[in-house]
Amino acid sequence: MREKVKRLVLSFSTTTQAMAAEQWFQGKEMPGRLIPLPGSISAECGLAWCTDIDQKGAVEQAAEEGAIQIQGIHEAMLYERK
């Protein structure tokens, strides 16, 4: 069964930036994954990092530490399997 869950979605300007973010966040053992950019979010890159909504502060801090270039931080309702 799928239901909508509020998630934190980070958008990027380029695919390279999205992949660098994925590598950095995984190295920091942060929960999340790359997903196709939701249609409700406008960005130049078609990829986004998706994580729990309560990870916003940790994601912002980790991105700053790793000089990760985030185009935008969004809250979105996304379908997930339960």
Side-chain angles (χ1 to χ4, degrees):
M1 172 181 266
R2 292 173 25 149
E3 62 182 64
K4 281 194 170 188
V5 177
K6 191 179 223 181
R7 303 289 281 173
L8 189 69
V9 178
L10 282 62
S11 59
F12 304 93
S13 296
T14 68
T15 301
T16 304
Q17 291 170 349
M19 294 175 75
E22 176 186 40
Q23 185 176 21
W24 179 256
F25 292 143
Q26 286 179 346
K28 292 284 189 182
E29 297 184 7
M30 299 188 71
R33 61 189 166 88
L34 278 182
I35 62 168
L37 186 71
S40 61
I41 300 172
S42 177
E44 296 172 22
C45 172
L47 295 175
W49 178 260
C50 177
T51 191
D52 297 329
I53 197 77
D54 61 352
Q55 292 291 317
K56 185 174 183 177
V59 165
E60 290 174 330
Q61 182 178 351
E64 187 175 323
E65 288 173 11
I68 302 299
Q69 298 175 0
I70 298 171
Q71 185 177 19
I73 299 176
H74 316 272
E75 293 180 8
M77 295 297 290
L78 303 176
Y79 281 106
E80 292 198 357
R81 294 180 198 260
K82 291 290 175 176

